[in-house]
C-alpha cells in the first residue's frame, strides 16, 4: 500500500507550501527543522519567516496612500504571526465605503480575498479527499490527520478583509 512507500513523508513537510504560508503571514519556525541547515529550502524558509507578509505590504501601501493604519501593523517583528486588529479593519472599511477614491487599494483587496478564498477552498477539498482515503487514520507526517487539517480550515491571511463586510 502507498503509505508503506510514503513512510514519514507528507505535504506537511513541503518547503514550498510552508514558504507560501509564511509569506501569507502564517509564521511558525518549527517547520524549519524539516530542512537541513545550509539547504536552499532552509534558507528560503528562513527568509520568508523574517520578511513582511503580503498583508503587511498591503497595509504599508494603505498607509502610504493616507489611510490611518496603526503603527503596530507597519513595524513589528515579522517572524511572528499576524493578529487581526480593529483599527486595520476600520482603515480598510474606508476603502470599501468609497471604492472610487481608493480604487487601486480596493482592486488589491479583492485580489487578496480571491487568494484567501482559493487557499481555503484547497484546504477544504484536501481534507475531504483525506477523509475519503484514510478516514481517521493519523497522517504520515505525524499529525492526527483529519482533525489536524480541520483545525487549519479557518486560517485567513487577510482577516480584516473578511470581517469588515459586517460593517458595510
Ligand atoms: C490520498 C491523498 C492524500 C492524503 C491521504 C493526504 C493526507 C494528508 C494528511 C493526513 C496531512 C496532515 C499531515 C500529516 O500528518 O501527514 C496532509 C497534509 C498536507 N498535504 Fe496531503 N494528502 C493527500 C494528497 C495531497 C496532495 C495531492 C497534495 C498537494 C498536491 C497534498 C498536500 C498537502 C500539504 C501541503 C499538507 C500540509 C497542510 C497543512 O499543514 O496545513 N496532499 N495530507
Amino acid at each position: 500500500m502507498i503509505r508503506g512507500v510514503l513512510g514519514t513523508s507528507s505535504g506537511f513537510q513541503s518547503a514550498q507550501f510552508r514558504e507560501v504560508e509564511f509569506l501569507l503571514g502564517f509564521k511558525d519556525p518549527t517547520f524549519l527543522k524539516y530542512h537541513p541547515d545550509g539547504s536552499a529550502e532552509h534558507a528560503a524558509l528562513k527568509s520568508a519567516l523574517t520578511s513582511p507578509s503580503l498583508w503587511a505590504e498591503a497595509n504599508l501601501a494603505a498607509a502610504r496612500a493616507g489611510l490611518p493604519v496603526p503603527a503596530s501593523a507597519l513595524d513589528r517583528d515579522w517572524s511572528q504571526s499576524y493578529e487581526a486588529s480593529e483599527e486595520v479593519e476600520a482603515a480598510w472599511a474606508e476603502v470599501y465605503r468609497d471604492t472610487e477614491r481608493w480604487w487601486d487599494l480596493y482592486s488589491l483587496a479583492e485580489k487578496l480575498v480571491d487568494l484567501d478564498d482559493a487557499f481555503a477552498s484547497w484546504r477544504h477539498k484536501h481534507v475531504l479527499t483525506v477523509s475519503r482515503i484514510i478516514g481517521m487514520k493519523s497522517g504520515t507526517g505525524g499529525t492526527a490527520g483529519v482533525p489536524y487539517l480541520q483545525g487549519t480550515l479557518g486560517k485567513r491571511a487577510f482577516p480584516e478583509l473578511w470581517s469588515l463586510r459586517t460593517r458595510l
Side-chain angles (χ1 to χ4, degrees):
M1 183 175 159
I2 182 81
R3 278 163 72 89
V5 182
L6 263 178
T8 55
S9 303
S10 166
F12 192 65
Q13 297 132 7
S14 161
Q16 283 177 328
F17 181 78
R18 279 321 148 198
E19 190 178 343
V20 171
E21 277 209 324
F22 285 3
L23 292 171
L24 289 176
F26 308 116
K27 313 274 187 156
D28 184 348
T30 59
F31 287 108
L32 287 168
K33 71 176 179 221
Y34 297 111
H35 307 282
D37 235 333
S39 64
E41 288 83 1
H42 191 99
L45 275 179
K46 193 138 203 199
S47 157
L49 182 73
T50 51
S51 302
S53 67
L54 193 48
W55 191 216
E57 295 289 4
N59 276 302
L60 286 159
R64 283 194 300 272
L67 282 163
V69 181
S72 57
L74 302 175
D75 185 19
R76 59 187 194 88
D77 175 0
W78 301 121
S79 65
Q80 300 298 310
S81 276
Y82 180 70
E83 303 258 341
S85 124
E86 268 192 33
E87 292 114 301
V88 169
E89 183 189 295
W92 286 89
E94 273 313 299
V95 171
Y96 279 76
R97 285 198 189 100
D98 191 350
T99 52
E100 264 178 46
R101 174 169 177 204
W102 305 105
W103 187 255
D104 288 352
L105 288 172
Y106 170 68
S107 307
L108 171 66
E110 284 296 288
K111 293 284 177 234
L112 297 179
V113 176
D114 286 348
L115 187 54
D116 249 353
D117 190 310
F119 222 84
S121 298
W122 180 83
R123 291 188 200 274
H124 280 266
K125 189 71 192 87
H126 173 257
V127 73
L128 265 186
T129 304
V130 174
S131 89
R132 178 170 174 168
I133 301 294
I134 65 167
M136 295 303 279
K137 290 191 193 83
S138 53
T140 50
T143 77
V146 165
Y148 160 75
L149 293 167
Q150 279 170 339
T152 68
L153 297 179
K155 282 187 172 184
R156 297 290 180 270
F158 318 106
E160 294 91 341
L161 294 182
W162 295 87
S163 60
L164 69 79
R165 318 275 156 161
T166 319
R167 284 183 180 240
L168 301 179

